[in-house]
């Protein structure tokens, strides 16, 4: 017996087009692989539903299918036996000619042959007109990247270091496998998120000569992908203590240090963070903006050699001056006899 597409969709042969669409949507919602999880029997049922809908939703295919099914049913119908004349038993009935065994075999063969022709015709139409449904394969989704901050000292930034970071990973829920539902209900293991949080301790190596706000990529240590997608990456955002900006020139370390105007004029000592800890650097009186100071052997060490720390001073004007400070600047203005824009002294 050939497939009855109307029975597959739960419809009568005279069903309207709108009824066919409603029945299809209802059955797809129930048997779709996303819902059933690629269960073998459900996938087979889903293919039959799709096959039936693609044939019955097309007026041309449906008309051709209905015609062939009628012929197929006709071919299977058994011939009715002759009725006796019950109205008048006295009327002579012409005796039937007895069929030979050969005639019966011939008629039987013809009937089987007709049935086979109809069956082959239906198969050919379905094979040529209805495309085969491919097995549903969910798309690959790559895992998301993770970014975390790492704070380094001056020494660690210059020479490199190791850090143990505690990373919060989002893994696919093992219970529902990321589908969020189990048997039509929300997964209780992940509360319908499809993911579960998991902490992982990871030892990472920070290379030498890193800069403030730079990023270090650790491949494959991000979140897990879905459906065969690759893992994301871990990014370490480098923060150097006190947000110090560092540059490098060979083995030398270059830094810019802000000083106040009175320090530039009067000179004195300022504290500097180095690889050896805090040291005092002497400022000369009348230090100008952009002037450089060199501190030996406070740079990068490599192959028995060690570079220097080169400090560039930047005169910085405080933004929030007190009234007393402003008064002193006003007094300095009155006392000043220099016009630095002309480069000459007033007599």
């Amino acid at each position: 017996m050939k497939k009855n597409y109307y029975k597959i969709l739960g419809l009568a042969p005279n069903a309207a087009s709108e009824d066919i669409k409603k029945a299809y949507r209802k059955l797809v919602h129930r048997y779709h692989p996303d819902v059933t999880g690629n269960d073998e029997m459900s996938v087979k049922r889903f293919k039959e539903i799709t096959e039936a809908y693609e044939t019955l939703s097309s007026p041309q295919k449906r008309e051709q299918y209905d015609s062939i099914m009628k012929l197929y049913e006709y071919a299977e119908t058994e011939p009715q036996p002759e009725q006796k004349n019950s109205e008048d038993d006295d009327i002579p009935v012409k005796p039937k000619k007895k069929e030979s065994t050969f005639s019966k075999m011939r008629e039987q063969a013809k009937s089987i042959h007709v049935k086979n022709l109809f069956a082959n015709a239906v198969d050919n139409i379905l094979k040529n007109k209805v495309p085969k449904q491919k097995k549903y394969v969910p798309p690959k989704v790559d895992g998301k990247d993770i970014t975390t901050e790492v704070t380094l000292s001056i020494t660690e930034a210059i020479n490199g270091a190791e850090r143990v970071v505690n990373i919060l990973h989002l893994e696919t829920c093992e219970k529902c496998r990321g589908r969020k539902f189990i048997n039509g209900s929300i997964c209780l293991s992940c509360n319908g998120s499809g993911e579960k949080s998991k902490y992982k301790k990871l030892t990472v190596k920070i290379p030498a000569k890193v800069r403030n706000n730079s990023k270090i990529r650790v491949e494959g240590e991000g979140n897990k992908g879905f459906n065969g997608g690759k893992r994301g990456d871990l990014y370490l955002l480098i923060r150097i203590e006190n947000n110090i900006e560092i540059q490098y020139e060979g083995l030398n370390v270059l830094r810019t240090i802000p000083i106040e105007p009175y320090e530039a004029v009067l000179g004195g000592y300022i504290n500097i963070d180095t690889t050896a800890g805090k040291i005092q650097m002497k400022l000369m009186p009348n230090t100008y903006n952009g002037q450089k100071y060199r501190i030996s052997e406070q740079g990068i060490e490599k192959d028995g050699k060690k570079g220097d720390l080169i400090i560039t001073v930047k005169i910085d004007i405080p933004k929030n001056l007190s009234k007393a400070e402003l008064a002193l600047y006003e007094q300095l203005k009155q006392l000043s006899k220099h016009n630095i824009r002309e480069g000459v002294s007033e007599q």
Side-chain angles (χ1 to χ4, degrees):
M1 182 67 182
K2 301 310 296 179
K3 292 180 182 178
N4 190 323
Y5 289 154
Y6 293 102
K7 287 185 178 180
I8 289 174
L9 297 180
L11 299 169
N14 61 348
S17 299
E18 189 63 29
D19 293 332
I20 293 173
K21 290 181 181 178
K22 289 180 180 179
Y24 172 70
R25 290 170 185 167
K26 182 178 179 181
L27 292 171
V28 165
H29 182 73
R30 181 178 176 184
Y31 290 101
H32 196 281
D34 280 347
V35 177
T36 61
N38 284 329
D39 176 67
E40 185 176 350
M41 294 300 295
S42 299
V43 170
K44 183 178 179 181
R45 177 76 169 131
F46 179 72
K47 289 180 179 179
E48 288 181 341
I49 293 166
T50 305
E51 183 180 298
Y53 175 72
E54 289 184 349
T55 300
L56 299 183
S57 62
S58 169
Q60 294 81 6
K61 292 181 182 179
R62 183 179 180 182
E63 183 180 359
Q64 192 174 26
Y65 172 78
D66 289 344
S67 299
I68 291 175
M69 288 303 291
K70 287 178 181 179
L71 291 173
Y72 185 79
E73 291 171 3
Y74 175 78
E76 289 186 327
T77 304
E78 293 293 333
Q80 298 295 324
E82 291 185 10
Q83 298 292 330
K84 289 185 178 180
N85 191 345
S86 59
E87 294 181 358
D88 191 355
D89 293 337
D90 295 335
I91 298 175
V93 179
K94 188 177 180 180
K96 293 192 297 181
K97 187 177 181 180
K98 189 175 181 181
E99 292 182 336
S100 65
T101 303
F102 176 77
S103 297
K104 290 182 179 180
M105 292 176 64
R106 182 179 62 185
E107 291 301 321
Q108 187 178 8
K110 286 172 65 177
S111 176
I112 294 173
H113 178 65
V114 170
K115 290 180 180 180
N116 289 337
L117 287 176
F118 289 136
N120 291 336
V122 173
D123 286 338
N124 289 334
I125 289 173
L126 296 180
K127 287 179 181 178
N128 295 331
K129 299 296 182 180
V130 182
K132 293 183 178 179
Q133 279 290 320
K134 294 182 179 179
K135 184 177 180 180
Y136 176 76
V137 179
K140 293 182 179 181
V141 180
D142 292 340
K144 294 181 180 179
D145 297 331
I146 298 174
T147 301
T148 187
E149 287 189 6
V150 175
T151 302
L152 303 177
S153 66
I154 293 290
T155 302
E156 290 172 326
I158 294 173
N159 298 326
E162 282 191 351
R163 275 286 191 276
V164 177
V165 293
N166 201 13
I167 304 300
L168 178 62
H169 283 277
L170 289 177
E171 303 287 348
T172 304
C173 176
E174 296 179 357
K175 191 76 174 178
C176 67
R177 297 182 181 178
R179 286 192 290 270
K180 305 180 183 181
F181 296 94
I182 298 178
N183 298 326
S185 300
I186 293 177
C187 175
L188 297 178
S189 180
C190 65
N191 293 321
S193 67
E195 300 172 330
K196 296 195 73 174
S197 301
K198 185 178 180 182
Y199 282 95
K200 178 182 179 180
K201 287 187 177 181
L202 184 68
T203 301
V204 293
K205 187 174 182 180
I206 311 296
K209 301 170 65 174
V210 295
R211 300 179 181 181
N212 191 47
N213 294 325
S214 61
K215 281 186 177 182
I216 297 174
R217 174 172 169 260
V218 184
E219 186 177 0
E221 290 296 341
N223 287 316
K224 187 178 179 181
F226 294 93
N227 307 321
K230 68 177 183 179
R231 270 190 172 275
D233 298 327
L234 170 64
Y235 286 90
L236 304 178
L237 180 59
I238 301 300
R239 302 291 193 194
I240 300 176
E241 290 177 348
N242 301 321
N243 292 324
I244 295 173
E245 296 294 338
I246 302 177
Q247 303 292 327
Y248 301 96
E249 186 181 74
L251 297 180
N252 294 330
V253 177
L254 313 180
R255 286 181 54 195
T256 298
I257 301 295
I259 61 173
E260 297 202 45
Y262 73 86
E263 291 177 317
V265 174
L266 302 176
Y269 290 89
I270 60 174
N271 292 325
I272 302 292
D273 288 317
T274 68
T275 56
K278 287 186 179 294
I279 64 171
Q280 284 192 328
M281 185 186 82
K282 184 178 180 180
L283 282 176
M284 301 301 294
N286 296 322
T287 294
Y288 58 87
N289 189 58
Q291 186 170 343
K292 298 183 185 299
Y293 287 85
R294 183 183 292 268
I295 303 175
S296 62
E297 295 188 352
Q298 290 299 322
I300 300 169
E301 186 173 3
K302 184 178 180 181
D303 299 331
K305 297 180 180 179
K306 197 167 186 179
D308 299 332
L309 172 61
I310 300 174
I311 301 293
T312 301
V313 296
K314 176 185 176 183
I315 300 174
D316 195 359
I317 306 296
K319 293 182 179 180
N320 299 316
L321 294 173
S322 66
K323 290 183 179 180
E325 288 174 320
L326 290 173
L328 289 173
Y329 271 105
E330 185 65 32
Q331 186 178 358
L332 179 62
K333 174 183 175 183
Q334 299 299 326
L335 293 173
S336 178
K337 302 297 181 181
H338 297 277
N339 188 336
I340 61 175
R341 281 174 292 278
E342 293 182 3
V344 296
S345 300
E346 294 182 0
Q347 300 295 333

